[in-house]
Amino acid sequence: MTATTTDIERAAGVLRAGGLVGLPTETVYGLGANAEDPAAVTKIFEVKGRPPSHPLIVHIAAADQLDDWVEEVPQAARLLADHFWPGPLTLVLRRGRRVPLEATGGLETVAVRVPDHPVALALLSAFGGGVTAPSANRFGSVSPTTADDVRAELGDGVDFVLDGGPCEVGVESTIVDVTGETPAILRPGGVTREDLEAVLGRPVDVPSTSGVRVPGQHPSHYAPRARVVLVEPENVVAEAELAQEEGHQVGVFLPPSLVGAEVKAHAVVTVPGSPTAYAQGLYGFLRELDQQGCDLIVASLPAEAGLGLAIANRLRRAAGPRLPA
């Protein structure tokens, strides 16, 4: 089912009333609230179980609205916005007065993007303002890429869910800090490092740590219920079979180099050879293995070029230290 004009108007009304809306974007489904309503923004943190110090992304309808939400727009930010918006790119800039500190985790910076999805853009237009929208899932768990994922994850915690079909990109937006002299990728995502460098005409760093807090930086994030173990591609089969023999219900991400290999495991997902298809399906694969009862998932990292950088980032976070129960 795809959202209708009536659905979009209803969702806009929910936002105006201070409620929460599940909305599709090209990356993942978001949990949206009126970006200028501190009480509504606070509800997002409560429903997700998200620490209030963890900033949110403000979604706007068009690049020409950026000046309304930030203090200043450096040349690099303007260039990136003009080139990649609408699209899976988030820019970190100095907070404008319109943005409450509740939305920024108390920071004087704000993350902003224009989503590339007709339903999201129609909602932003009908609402007439900015919408804060982190992924519509419990904090730290696998991000949703369908409307059904949102309903299953949040239930009555979300007031209305807009169905825009499966997400086309499948992993979150790339977050770029443009507050300093040199742009830096704080979270790899749907826009690749190579694409950014081509537009900017210079190298773009991907620092391992940053003083700027942004979504997706927690040591454990994007994680299924099953424990994720990362090994070299050539060791996937042996590691999976050993874990199965030890009594685990093992799920396997079988890399393209091992397509056709026989694996003794509870469930096997053959990873697409295309990074685009892999990114699009990643969270669905993790959810599928959870639903099949796996308690351990064995996977390897893809080559960290293009979208492979974002996929590797998500798998590392999924395999990271677990959040407290």
Side-chain angles (χ1 to χ4, degrees):
M1 177 182 177
T2 300
T4 64
T5 301
T6 300
D7 294 330
I8 290 165
E9 290 295 339
R10 178 180 170 186
V14 169
L15 292 174
R16 293 188 193 102
L20 302 183
V21 172
L23 67 145
T25 76
E26 78 280 23
T27 57
V28 300
Y29 273 71
L31 181 62
N34 179 354
E36 297 177 81
D37 182 344
V41 171
T42 299
K43 288 182 186 177
I44 289 178
F45 292 96
E46 294 170 349
V47 169
K48 284 178 61 70
R50 182 185 180 103
S53 61
H54 210 60
L56 306 178
I57 294 173
V58 175
H59 294 68
I60 58 177
D64 60 13
Q65 296 178 6
L66 183 57
D67 296 86
D68 298 335
W69 296 90
V70 303
E71 188 176 274
E72 61 178 340
V73 184
Q75 182 179 2
R78 188 79 68 189
L79 182 62
L80 292 174
D82 288 343
H83 192 88
F84 292 108
W85 284 357
L89 177 68
T90 294
L91 300 177
V92 176
L93 295 150
R94 299 296 176 190
R95 178 180 72 96
R97 293 182 180 180
R98 246 176 122 169
V99 184
L101 288 171
E102 286 82 356
T104 68
L107 301 177
E108 289 299 332
T109 54
V110 61
V112 185
R113 88 174 183 103
V114 178
D116 188 14
H117 193 290
V119 173
L121 291 172
L123 174 61
L124 287 163
S125 177
F127 175 57
V131 174
T132 49
S135 55
N137 58 291
R138 303 292 178 186
F139 180 66
S141 65
V142 179
S143 300
T145 53
T146 69
D148 286 343
D149 291 343
V150 179
R151 297 185 185 103
E153 183 86 8
L154 298 180
D156 293 339
V158 56
D159 298 302
F160 188 66
V161 179
L162 285 170
D163 192 339
C167 299
E168 291 188 359
V169 175
V171 293
E172 291 80 0
S173 60
T174 302
I175 299 179
V176 178
D177 179 11
V178 283
T179 60
E181 293 185 6
T182 304
I185 296 174
L186 303 186
R187 180 181 71 183
V191 172
T192 69
R193 179 183 191 174
E194 293 84 353
D195 288 340
L196 294 168
E197 291 177 338
V199 170
L200 293 172
R202 54 175 159 165
V204 178
D205 291 335
V206 188
S208 56
T209 60
S210 170
V212 180
R213 296 196 308 273
V214 295
Q217 285 182 322
H218 198 279
S220 176
H221 222 89
Y222 319 112
R225 292 190 299 274
R227 181 165 64 93
V228 177
V229 175
L230 300 177
V231 299
E232 294 299 321
E234 62 270 19
N235 296 332
V236 167
V237 172
E239 184 73 22
E241 293 183 348
L242 176 61
Q244 189 77 14
E245 290 172 3
E246 291 175 345
H248 289 285
Q249 295 286 87
V250 179
V252 179
F253 273 20
L254 196 66
S257 59
L258 298 179
V259 169
E262 293 187 9
V263 189
K264 296 177 182 177
H266 181 68
V268 177
V269 169
T270 300
V271 171
S274 159
T276 299
Y278 191 178
Q280 187 178 54
L282 175 62
Y283 293 143
F285 300 152
L286 291 171
R287 287 179 182 274
E288 177 186 339
L289 294 182
D290 264 349
Q291 290 164 2
Q292 293 196 40
C294 297
D295 61 36
L296 187 147
I297 297 171
V298 178
S300 61
L301 299 177
E304 297 187 40
L307 276 174
L309 180 63
I311 297 167
N313 170 270
R314 301 312 189 271
L315 287 172
R316 284 198 179 94
R317 298 290 183 181
R322 287 313 178 99
L323 294 168

